[in-house]
Amino acid sequence: SSIRDVMNTPTEDYEFIWGAQIYQSSTSIIASEPKTGKTQFCLSLAKAITHGEEFLGMATKQMRCHYLYLEGDVLDLQDRLEGLNVDQDNGLFTFWTSVAPMEMNRMEYIEMHNPKLVIIDMMLKFSNTINDSNNYTEMMQLFTQFDEVAKSTKCAIILTHHLKKGQVKTHNIER
C-alpha cells in the first residue's frame, strides 16, 4: 500500500480525551523505573480530565474517570490528592484501592461500570495471570485483553508499569 492508500483508508472516528495523545477505545502504558512520577502524572491527568481542564498545554474532554490505585496505601493516596487540591465532591473521579470489588472476571468491572477513562496504577497488581513481566507471551495476552475491553466499551485505559532499575538506558549528550 502507498502512503496515499493508508491515509485514505476509512477509520472509526475516535473521540480524543487528552490532546491527540489519549483517545477512546485505546490502551496506553506509562512505564518507567520506580519513583519517577508515574502515579503523580496519572493523578494529575485524571484530575484535569474530570474537570475538563488543560493538561500540559493540551485540551481534555471532561468525563468520568475510574482510578484503580494499587501502588500504595490509602494514606499515601490521601496525601497525593491533598497535594493536587482535588475537589472531594467531584463525582466524576472514582477510586478503588484494592481489586476486591473485582473478584469477578476483573475485566468485567470495566464493562459493568462503563467509565470513559480507566487508570490502573500498577498493571501487574491488577492481573493475577502474569508470573513474569519479562515474558512476552504473558504480557501480550494481558494487553490483548485490555485492548478488547477498551474497544468494546469505547473506554480509554491507561496502565502504569515498573521497569526494572537499570532497564532504561540513558544516553549522555555532549553539547
Side-chain angles (χ1 to χ4, degrees):
S1 294
S2 70
I3 293 173
R4 182 177 307 284
D5 293 338
V6 171
M7 297 307 290
N8 290 321
T9 300
T11 60
E12 274 190 61
D13 285 333
Y14 292 111
E15 185 175 356
F16 283 96
I17 295 170
W18 173 46
Q21 308 304 311
I22 306 290
Y23 57 93
Q24 71 182 40
S25 303
S26 70
T27 304
S28 303
I29 188 162
I30 310 251
S32 66
E33 291 180 351
K35 306 295 180 198
T36 55
K38 295 177 295 296
T39 296
Q40 201 64 32
F41 174 86
C42 288
L43 285 170
S44 298
L45 174 61
K47 177 187 175 197
I49 287 171
T50 60
H51 287 90
E53 300 170 345
E54 271 194 8
F55 182 69
L56 298 178
M58 291 179 270
T60 66
K61 177 159 177 72
Q62 186 177 24
M63 58 184 49
R64 176 175 302 285
C65 174
H66 285 223
Y67 198 110
L68 186 60
Y69 183 75
L70 304 174
E71 179 64 356
D73 59 22
V74 174
L75 182 59
D76 178 57
L77 179 59
Q78 288 172 342
D79 287 345
R80 290 174 181 270
L81 293 173
E82 188 174 287
L84 288 172
N85 197 27
V86 173
D87 176 10
Q88 292 185 23
D89 297 320
N90 183 348
L92 295 177
F93 210 163
T94 306
F95 286 92
W96 295 99
T97 54
S98 76
V99 293
M102 292 176 251
E103 289 174 357
M104 62 193 100
N105 174 335
R106 294 178 180 182
M107 296 299 181
E108 287 178 13
Y109 167 85
I110 297 168
E111 293 169 339
M112 185 172 70
H113 292 281
N114 198 24
K116 294 304 172 195
L117 173 63
V118 173
I119 299 174
I120 300 173
D121 194 349
M122 288 331 293
M123 170 187 65
L124 291 182
K125 291 183 181 180
F126 179 76
S127 171
N128 56 3
T129 62
I130 301 296
N131 295 314
D132 178 7
S133 65
N134 291 318
N135 182 310
Y136 179 81
T137 303
E138 286 183 12
M139 294 300 286
M140 284 310 297
Q141 287 172 346
L142 182 60
F143 289 136
T144 299
Q145 285 181 325
F146 283 117
D147 279 338
E148 288 170 359
V149 170
K151 286 176 177 47
S152 70
T153 61
K154 295 194 180 219
C155 171
I157 301 174
I158 299 174
L159 310 164
T160 65
H161 179 63
H162 281 195
L163 299 177
K164 292 180 181 172
K165 288 188 180 206
Q167 190 172 351
V168 179
K169 294 182 180 178
T170 58
H171 301 281
N172 292 330
I173 299 173
E174 293 185 25
R175 293 184 180 196

